[in-house]
Amino acid sequence: EMMDGRRSEFVALLGGGRGARREVEAAIETWVWYAGWTDKLHQFAGTVNPVAGPYFNFTLPEPVGVVGVVAPEEPALLGLVRRLAPALCGGNTVVALASESKPLPALVLGEILATSDFPAGVANVLSGFRKELLPWLGAHLDVNAIDAAGCTHEQVADLERAAAESVKRVVKLPAGEALSPHAVTALMEFKTVWHPIGV
C-alpha cells in the first residue's frame, strides 16, 4: 500500500512512460503475491512423514537467517523486489545490494520498508560499487545465504569461494522462478522433528 501510494514517484525515478508504469505495477503485484504465501508456506513445503512407531514425524521449513541479496541491474526496481519478497516471505532478514547503475528506486524502496510495519533492521538496502561490496557480503560470518541473481558468472564464482569459508549457500535462481514459492524455499532450511502421540 505504501509503494502504491508513491507510484508516481517510482514511475518518475524509472524514467517515466509505459514501461516504467508496467514495472511499478509488476513490483506491487509481486509484493501482494508473496504476502499471500506467508501463511501457506508450512503447508506447501512442510510434510508429515510416515513412520512406524508411536510418534509423529514432521519436516518443516525454517528461515535461514540473514540473506544477502544481489539485485539485478535491470530492471532496477522489479529485479530487487523479485529478490527481496521471497527472502522476506520466508521469514529471513535481508541485506540487499541495489542496482549499481540505477540505485535511486531501490533507495526509495528502502525508505518505504524502513517506515512500514517491518521491524527495524529486517530489510536493509545498500548502494555502492559491487566490486567493493561483494567480497564483504560473501565473507561476512553473520550472513547465512546469498541470492546472487544480479551477479555475473565470475562474481558468483568469487562469492562461492568466499562463502565456502563460512559454509553459506549461494543461490542463483533462473529468471523463470521470479514468482514461485520455490524461490522462497531456496532460502530456507528444513527441520525434521519428532513428537510422541498423546493418549
Side-chain angles (χ1 to χ4, degrees), residues 24-107:
V24 173
E25 187 67 36
I28 293 168
E29 287 175 11
T30 299
W31 283 120
V32 171
W33 196 87
Y34 279 107
W37 273 103
T38 56
D39 62 349
K40 298 168 188 69
L41 270 180
H42 283 279
Q43 292 83 2
F44 171 78
T47 182
V48 177
N49 305 313
V51 292
Y55 43 81
F56 292 113
N57 182 267
F58 303 99
T59 300
L60 304 169
E62 289 189 342
V64 168
V66 178
V67 174
V69 170
V70 184
E73 285 294 312
E74 290 289 333
L77 176 64
L78 183 58
L80 175 63
V81 169
R82 284 189 171 164
R83 306 317 328 155
L84 268 177
L88 293 170
C89 175
N92 296 294
T93 297
V94 178
V95 176
L97 302 184
S99 168
E100 190 174 315
S101 58
K102 297 180 182 176
L104 286 179
L107 295 175

Side-chain angles (χ1 to χ4, degrees), residues 153-192:
H153 292 298
E154 296 79 22
Q155 289 171 332
V156 170
D158 291 341
L159 274 176
E160 287 174 340
R161 277 191 291 279
E165 293 182 21
S166 58
V167 195
K168 71 177 59 101
R169 75 181 70 175
V170 177
V171 176
K172 186 168 182 179
L173 296 170
E177 292 286 324
L179 285 178
S180 165
H182 298 293
V184 180
T185 57
L187 299 169
M188 299 184 85
E189 294 175 343
F190 290 86
K191 177 179 167 183
T192 300

Side-chain angles (χ1 to χ4, degrees), residues 112-187:
I112 287 173
L113 292 171
T115 57
S116 70
D117 359 357
F118 277 113
V122 169
N124 307 280
V125 180
L126 304 175
S127 64
F129 297 114
R130 291 195 176 170
K131 65 180 179 184
E132 296 174 1
L133 296 172
L134 285 176
W136 288 101
L137 187 65
H140 202 288
L141 295 176
D142 290 329
V143 175
N144 305 104
I146 298 174
D147 179 351
C151 293
T152 64
H153 292 298
E154 296 79 22
Q155 289 171 332
V156 170
D158 291 341
L159 274 176
E160 287 174 340
R161 277 191 291 279
E165 293 182 21
S166 58
V167 195
K168 71 177 59 101
R169 75 181 70 175
V170 177
V171 176
K172 186 168 182 179
L173 296 170
E177 292 286 324
L179 285 178
S180 165
H182 298 293
V184 180
T185 57
L187 299 169

